[in-house]
Every structure is written in C-alpha cells, then in structure tokens.
C-alpha cells in the first residue's frame, strides 16, 4: 500500500516531486521560485524543471527546460497553430520524446523536483498528454504531489468560486494523483470586498447551499434568474457529492505560510524529512520537524484579514529590533581559536532561534 511504502522508503532512494499546475495568473512560476528558495533554506537539495514551452521569463534557476526540446515559435509557424494549440502540440511532442526528459532527470539525481507546468486548463482537465507524462514520472520512481494553484481572488464572488471548485474537481478526477488545491496570494485578499463568510467556509468547502442566495443575487442582473437557479443547485450538489475538494492557503513571501504548506505537502507525499540524529540540522530544519508550526484557516484569516495592519506593524518592529541587535554585534575576531569559533557559531544559532521564535515558530531540541 502507499502507506507502507511511505514508511519503508527513504529519501535517498525515492525522489520526491511537486507537479505545479493551475490556470494563468495563479502564481505557478512565483510559487516555484519561492518554494525553491524555501526548500534550499530548510536543507533540501531542490531543482526546478520547466515544462511550460510558453514560459519565456523564469525567476528561478532552471535545471531542465522543455524549451530546449521544442520551440513554440517553430510549432506555430510549421503547424499553423495558435498559442494554445501550439502548447498542446508541444506537450504531445514531449510525451513522444519522454526519453529526453528521463535522461535530463538522471543528471539531477535524488533532488527534490518542482515541475512548473503550462497554464492551459485543457491540459489538466481533458487532454491526455500531461497526465501520461505524470504517470511515466511515477514509473521512474518519483513520489508525486499535484499542486493545483488558484488565485484566492476567486472566493470574492460565488460564481468564480464555484467555477474554481469545478475546475479543481475535474483536474483531480482527470489526473488521479495525490492533490493539494491551494489558494495563492492570500495576503492580497484584504484589497478586495469583505467575504460574506469566514475563510474556513471556502477552504473546507462547507455546506455550499449557503452560497445559492448570493449566487442568485449576483446573477439577478442577467434575467431570467430562475433559468440558472436549478443549474446552480445541481452544480453545488455535484461538488458536495464527490466531497474531494478542499483548499490550503499560501502567502508565498511569508515563511510561516510556506512552512505550513510544505508540512501539508510532506504529509500528502509521504516525505520523511531529516537525518537520523539531526546533529547538524539548521534552525529551519528543526522547525520543519516541530509540530508547533501550524496555521489553520482561522489563523490565516486573523493574519491576513482581521488583524493585517496590526500584525504587519508588529512584524516591522521585530525586524527593526533584530537589525539594531545585528548592528550592535561586535565584528568577528581574527586569529581566534577553534573554541572561539565554536562559541560564535553557538551564539549565532541561539540568535537564529530567538528570531524564529519571535515569528511565532517554536523550536524544540530533541535529545
């Protein structure tokens, strides 16, 4: 079973990967950049593979790029296809030449891989090529987690929220891999009108029938509203009947948000993190193993909606205080002994722990 496999496998002989999908504008490349930096900070060797032939500007270091195999401009010219059709054609080409991808991945060893995928929804709702590529990655031994990103703006309107639920459900049924649906840019929600329900209503997909009156009111300007009422109810009941869709949240520049999401990814993919003794672990590696780092939907609402300005100010003050402490620290001594160096390293570690704990993360040292 998957559970027994997760408990008997080790990181060294079972590479892990995230498949990052989502519609255009959902923040896939930004996520790959942020997650690459965060994984590096917590001590995981990570590489990013670009599978989007239309991704001309990547902010992250690309270890393997599909554009080295296929050219979107050449496909458009040779096949007389538009941009969307050319992306589908390019993924079909990649499927046929999967050995190119396989050989490239061999050079990355057991790195934790982030696959940045195209944003055309056809690729993860009904087109087969991307799904077939994912299945072949599984056969190579990768433990995959599908990361389906959605801009959190969709929850500000019932119609866009229901559309996002349907898209997430269809993607899960099409690809059939362990999946986390993620509402990105959660820190931007404060710039939009107040939500009619608390955030956990949208993340946990509570009783969606509460949305129907608001949805009907939203569509009242498009008569006759009764024409859509039955359809709205049928769609809501369909999503609830499957009971598959839920959402994590993400503010990509917030370390606690990233850490909470990575813990959810690890649980989903069966990642067993850290060495046996942890003697040389960094403060962030220790924090990743600690159960103290949690952030549920109520915490997210408090941080980014209810008390955003207050908590932002507290964070700025903490940063300013840390800056003063760093400026007051005497410069390192030259020509010191090994014991002096060890003492300085211990002081640095204690300061790092103190800074992390100020951000709400508890560091637990295990004997």
């Amino acid at each position: 079973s998957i559970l027994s496999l997760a408990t008997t496998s080790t990181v060294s002989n079972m590479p892990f990967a995230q498949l990052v999908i989502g519609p255009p504008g959902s923040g896939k490349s930004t996520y790959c950049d942020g997650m690459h930096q965060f994984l590096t900070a917590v001590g995981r060797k990570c590489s990013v593979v670009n599978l989007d032939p239309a991704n001309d500007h990547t902010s992250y270091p690309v270890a393997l790029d599909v554009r080295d195999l296929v050219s979107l401009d050449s496909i458009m010219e040779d096949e007389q296809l538009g941009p969307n059709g050319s992306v589908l054609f390019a993924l079909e080409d990649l499927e046929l030449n999967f050995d190119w991808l396989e050989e490239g991945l061999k050079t990355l060893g057991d790195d934790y891989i982030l696959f940045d995928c195209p944003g055309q929804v056809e690729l993860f709702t009904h087109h087969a090529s991307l799904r077939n590529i994912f299945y072949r990655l599984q056969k190579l031994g990768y433990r995959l987690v599908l990361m389906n990103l959605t801009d959190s703006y969709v929850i500000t309107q019932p119609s866009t929220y229901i559309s996002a639920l349907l898209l997430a459900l269809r993607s899960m049924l099409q690809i059939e891999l362990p999946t986390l649906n993620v509402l990105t840019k959660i820190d931007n929600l404060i710039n939009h009108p107040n939500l009619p329900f608390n955030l956990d209503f949208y993340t946990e997909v509570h009783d969606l029938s509460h949305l129907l009156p608001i949805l009907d009111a939203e569509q009242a300007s498009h008569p006759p509203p009764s024409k859509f009422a039955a359809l709205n109810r049928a769609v809501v009941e369909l999503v609830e009947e499957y009971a598959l869709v839920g959402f994590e949240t993400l503010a990509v520049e917030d370390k606690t948000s990233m850490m909470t999401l990575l813990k959810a990814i690890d649980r989903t993919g069966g990642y067993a993190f850290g060495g046996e003794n942890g003697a040389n672990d960094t403060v962030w590696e220790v924090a990743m193993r600690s159960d103290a780092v949690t952030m549920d939907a109520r915490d997210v609402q408090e941080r980014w909606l209810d008390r955003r300005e207050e908590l932002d100010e507290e964070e700025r003050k903490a940063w300013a205080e840390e800056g003063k402490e760093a400026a007051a620290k005497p410069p390192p001594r030259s020509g010191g002994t090994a014991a002096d160096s060890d003492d300085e390293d211990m002081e640095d570690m204690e300061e790092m722990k103190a800074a992390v704990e100020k951000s709400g993360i508890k560091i637990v040292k295990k004997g």
Side-chain angles (χ1 to χ4, degrees):
S1 66
I2 293 178
L3 181 59
S4 62
L5 185 60
T7 57
T8 57
S9 297
T10 62
V11 177
S12 60
N13 59 19
M14 181 68 73
F16 290 78
Q18 298 178 31
L19 308 166
V20 185
I21 68 170
S26 58
K28 295 184 296 299
S29 293
T30 301
Y31 171 83
C32 288
D33 186 20
M35 183 57 74
H36 176 266
Q37 294 183 44
F38 190 77
L39 287 168
T40 302
V42 300
R44 302 190 197 182
K45 192 177 179 184
C46 174
S47 295
V48 186
V49 175
N50 177 41
L51 294 184
D52 184 359
N55 192 356
D56 295 327
H57 305 286
T58 56
S59 53
Y60 50 77
V62 183
L64 192 60
D65 198 332
V66 71
R67 292 173 299 173
D68 294 334
L69 174 69
V70 293
S71 166
L72 213 57
D73 291 337
S74 297
I75 293 173
M76 293 173 67
E77 181 178 350
D78 296 343
E79 305 297 332
Q80 296 296 300
L81 294 172
N84 285 349
S86 297
V87 171
L88 299 182
F89 188 96
L91 267 291
E92 292 172 356
D93 197 349
L94 176 59
E95 181 187 1
L96 291 173
N97 294 280
F98 184 82
D99 55 337
W100 172 87
L101 180 59
E102 182 177 355
E103 290 302 314
L105 290 173
K106 287 179 181 178
T107 66
L108 304 181
D110 290 334
D111 284 12
Y112 191 113
I113 307 295
L114 303 173
F115 290 96
D116 189 2
C117 302
Q120 278 74 5
V121 296
E122 306 98 302
L123 288 168
F124 43 92
T125 57
H126 60 273
H127 194 271
S129 287
L130 196 61
R131 179 188 62 186
N132 294 340
I133 291 169
F134 292 166
Y135 287 172
R136 294 184 71 175
L137 288 172
Q138 266 192 321
K139 291 183 178 179
L140 295 181
Y142 281 93
R143 295 290 298 277
L144 304 175
V145 175
L146 187 71
M147 302 297 296
N148 185 16
L149 308 189
T150 302
D151 190 330
S152 60
Y153 172 78
V154 301
I155 70 175
T156 62
Q157 292 183 311
S159 57
T160 54
Y161 176 59
I162 294 297
S163 297
L165 289 174
L166 282 175
L167 181 58
L169 177 60
R170 182 67 191 111
S171 301
M172 295 172 76
L173 296 176
Q174 165 78 1
I175 298 179
E176 295 182 303
L177 287 172
T179 301
L180 284 178
N181 301 299
V182 183
L183 293 173
T184 61
K185 310 177 189 177
I186 204 71
D187 47 328
N188 287 341
L189 271 182
I190 197 171
N191 300 320
H192 302 296
N194 291 335
L195 301 174
F197 304 103
N198 287 334
L199 186 60
D200 61 352
F201 173 87
Y202 301 95
T203 59
E204 298 174 17
V205 191
H206 287 165
D207 186 356
L208 296 178
S209 62
H210 294 302
L211 277 179
L212 291 174
I214 307 174
L215 190 58
D216 291 341
E218 179 186 328
Q219 297 174 335
S221 59
H222 305 281
S226 59
K227 178 180 179 181
F228 299 102
L231 177 61
N232 292 339
R233 181 169 294 279
V235 169
V236 163
E237 290 175 352
L238 174 68
V239 174
E240 290 183 330
E241 182 179 348
Y242 275 97
L244 290 175
V245 184
F247 290 98
E248 304 291 333
T249 61
L250 177 64
V252 74
E253 295 182 355
D254 182 72
K255 290 185 177 67
T256 303
S257 180
M258 288 289 282
M259 188 174 295
T260 302
L261 180 60
L262 184 54
K263 282 178 173 287
I265 296 168
D266 289 348
R267 289 193 300 269
T268 303
Y271 188 96
F273 181 74
E276 292 182 359
N277 54 28
N280 298 314
D281 287 350
T282 67
V283 64
W284 289 110
E285 290 175 290
V286 175
M288 274 302 301
R289 288 201 303 273
S290 171
D291 293 333
V293 183
T294 59
M295 198 174 192
D296 62 19
R298 288 167 294 183
D299 298 323
V300 174
Q301 175 157 337
E302 180 182 40
R303 175 63 184 89
W304 299 113
L305 293 174
D306 299 343
R307 299 176 57 202
R308 168 71 182 269
E309 293 184 3
E310 176 187 347
L311 294 176
D312 277 353
E313 181 61 25
E314 289 182 8
E315 194 173 77
R316 281 191 290 268
K317 289 180 179 177
W319 289 343
E321 187 64 28
E322 290 168 19
K324 291 179 182 177
E325 293 176 359
K329 183 179 177 181
R333 299 187 298 272
S334 60
T337 65
D340 292 335
S341 178
D342 290 342
D343 290 341
E344 290 173 4
D345 289 344
M346 184 61 68
E347 290 173 4
D348 290 342
M349 179 60 74
E350 292 302 323
E351 289 177 5
M352 285 180 67
K353 288 183 178 179
V356 172
E357 287 171 352
K358 279 183 181 181
S359 68
I361 299 172
K362 181 180 179 182
I363 305 302
V364 180
K365 185 175 181 180
K366 299 180 181 179

